[in-house]
Amino acid sequence: MARWRVMLVGCGYIAPFHLAAWRGLNNVEVIAVCDLDEKKARERADTFGVERVLTDYETAIRELEPDVVDVATPPATHPEIIEAAAAGGAHVLCQKPFAESLREADRMITTCARAGVRLMVNENLRWSRVYRELRALLDQGTLGEPYYLQIIRDRLFLGKPLFPDQPFIRDMPRAMLYEVGIHFVDCVRFLLGEIESVHCRMRRINPQMRGEDVIVLSLNLVGGQVGIVKADWCSRQRNDAIAESIRLSGTEGTVVVSDDGRMSLLLNDGRTIEQGTFDETYLEGQAFPRAHAHFIRGLETGEPFETDGRDNRRTLAAVLAGYESAERQAVVRPDGGES
Ligand SMILES: NC(=O)c1ccc[n+]([C@@H]2O[C@H](COP(=O)([O-])OP(=O)(O)OC[C@H]3O[C@@H](n4cnc5c(N)ncnc54)[C@H](O)[C@@H]3O)[C@@H](O)[C@H]2O)c1
């Protein structure tokens, strides 16, 4: 029998990426999938060879006593599911956005700590090859002291069918920053450190959207660095694909990742070093498998998770500060009061 018996709750769009990641780990068995929609759960179970299909996570956790509950449902459902997992003694891997509010985030962190179970938020983008490579360049000191990171991520939905795979995004009152921009805020923290204050402008260009579809965030870091995140669902890109480009500057040089994934290291001494192409997407590439492997390694070794509840609360706080900033057109400090 595998060492870690996992139950997946939520069998929607993102579930296959979780199930594929678990399948790649030989000490893990997914013992059950659970969704309010039995048909969806059955489909996932059939595709991935999972034995049990359930619709009520509370009963399922009580009866099956999984070691891990993998939460892939919308944020509003996280507190109740995590409470049930903790009561059943199961460790938790929870999809982003972790919570709808910092109060809920605190509640879930406390619940897991009291129950003695580990909690990690699944922030997969930071596990993609490109961000790992940027982290390695910083750790090696290749760029000197970093002072600037810019992430631009664009895709065209204006005048097109909106989010065929995730139709709920169209009705989200908080859309681009909460659903997608949150990954980039996490990556800014991953590469540059903690966020001291946030300024954000957002727009809703597409009349079919309820929430914002363009965001420009300026993140001021505790160490004096600046992170700029611009994400947009209204502008056309080459190849009509999602385009993500990155610039990371330090006192010794700049890394440029162009929107086809080509990474160039432009050193201030005049050398230009081509680093190769980093075009795996954070969904289809190795980001999910790496995040899931990190979770299991943490359980086995006791090592801290990069994105445990407390860590991810800081990403969430910066995102919520972004909304407040956009509303008040002010520079907002993320809530510093941590549980
Ligand atoms: N990390 C990433 O790259 C990434 C990408 C896409 C989505 N997500 C996140 O994953 C989460 C789910 O997104 P999705 O696109 O799969 O949504 P989805 O709507 O396609 O799937 C969610 C599923 O959860 C089920 N569900 C809701 N409440 C439930 C409950 N109480 N018990 C059991 N099942 C319940 C729904 O029936 C649905 O099938 C969101 O938080 C989203 O932000 C993350």
Side-chain angles (χ1 to χ4, degrees):
M1 193 171 71
R3 167 72 184 84
W4 302 101
R5 296 162 61 254
V6 174
M7 186 174 106
L8 174 69
V9 183
C11 293
Y13 167 72
I14 205 61
F17 299 97
H18 289 231
L19 290 164
W22 290 129
R23 190 166 56 185
L25 293 168
N26 55 19
N27 52 353
V28 171
E29 183 191 0
V30 179
I31 57 165
V33 291
C34 176
D35 199 293
L36 294 174
D37 182 336
E38 190 173 357
K39 192 167 157 272
K40 274 195 199 171
R42 169 71 55 201
E43 271 174 33
R44 301 303 184 211
D46 289 348
T47 307
F48 288 91
V50 179
E51 204 169 303
R52 302 289 300 269
V53 171
L54 304 136
T55 52
D56 173 6
Y57 63 81
E58 255 183 310
T59 317
I61 291 168
R62 242 191 343 264
E63 286 179 2
L64 300 178
E65 299 183 335
D67 301 305
V68 169
V69 172
D70 181 11
V71 183
T73 55
T77 65
H78 293 173
E80 284 69 29
I81 298 172
I82 287 178
E83 203 150 302
H91 305 292
V92 175
L93 178 62
C94 179
Q95 258 300 347
K96 51 53 70 176
F98 181 30
E100 292 191 314
S101 68
L102 294 177
R103 185 187 300 215
E104 280 179 0
D106 288 338
R107 198 177 112 201
M108 293 186 276
I109 292 165
T110 306
T111 300
C112 289
R114 286 201 181 128
V117 299
R118 306 275 308 272
L119 166 66
M120 175 172 137
V121 178
N122 197 347
E123 259 302 349
N124 46 310
L125 183 62
R126 66 159 64 201
W127 288 97
S128 58
R129 263 183 74 224
V130 67
Y131 287 100
R132 291 287 140 178
E133 181 68 16
L134 295 173
R135 184 66 262 167
L137 288 170
L138 290 176
D139 291 343
Q140 290 153 14
T142 314
L143 300 178
E145 278 299 312
Y147 61 86
Y148 179 73
L149 171 64
Q150 170 183 302
I151 304 173
I152 297 181
R153 205 266 206 174
D154 294 333
R155 182 178 189 179
L156 179 64
F157 277 117
L158 195 58
K160 292 175 155 237
L162 271 175
F163 313 107
D165 297 322
Q166 295 175 288
F168 60 90
I169 294 178
R170 166 207 299 242
D171 299 317
M172 289 173 75
R174 293 174 163 184
M176 172 58 99
L177 175 54
Y178 191 60
E179 180 61 26
V180 176
I182 195 166
H183 287 299
F184 305 122
V185 173
D186 180 66
C187 285
V188 170
R189 289 189 53 244
F190 175 52
L191 295 176
L192 294 185
E194 293 313 326
I195 293 165
E196 188 173 75
S197 66
V198 180
H199 182 265
C200 179
R201 286 201 82 105
M202 47 181 66
R203 295 280 309 272
R204 184 178 65 92
I205 303 248
N206 191 333
Q208 293 185 77
M209 290 284 299
R210 181 166 170 213
E212 80 283 358
D213 51 8
V214 177
I215 57 168
V216 182
L217 273 174
S218 173
L219 304 165
N220 302 302
L221 284 103
V222 170
Q225 309 95 324
V226 175
I228 299 289
V229 172
K230 185 254 183 178
D232 185 326
W233 278 322
C234 301
S235 70
R236 191 180 153 208
Q237 307 304 312
R238 270 197 294 268
N239 305 327
D240 293 324
I242 298 178
E244 189 173 323
S245 61
I246 306 169
R247 279 186 89 91
L248 174 58
S249 293
T251 50
E252 307 280 327
T254 292
V255 191
V256 179
V257 184
S258 52
D259 58 15
D260 57 4
R262 220 159 23 90
M263 183 187 287
S264 309
L265 181 53
L266 313 175
L267 293 170
N268 292 355
D269 64 13
R271 285 177 298 152
T272 298
I273 303 170
E274 296 302 336
Q275 301 284 103
T277 300
F278 292 75
D279 57 358
E280 70 165 25
T281 75
Y282 67 109
L283 287 176
E284 275 95 17
Q286 288 302 303
F288 268 107
R290 287 194 201 104
H292 286 229
H294 174 71
F295 176 74
I296 293 296
R297 202 164 46 247
L299 293 185
E300 293 191 332
T301 62
E303 281 168 25
F305 300 132
E306 280 191 14
T307 54
D308 63 13
R310 240 171 240 286
D311 175 89
N312 196 260
R313 184 197 193 277
R314 297 188 192 123
T315 294
L316 181 66
V319 164
L320 297 177
Y323 282 100
E324 191 185 331
S325 167
E327 200 175 306
R328 296 203 281 118
Q329 271 309 292
V331 175
V332 175
R333 298 171 79 90
D335 180 319
E338 299 190 11
S339 61

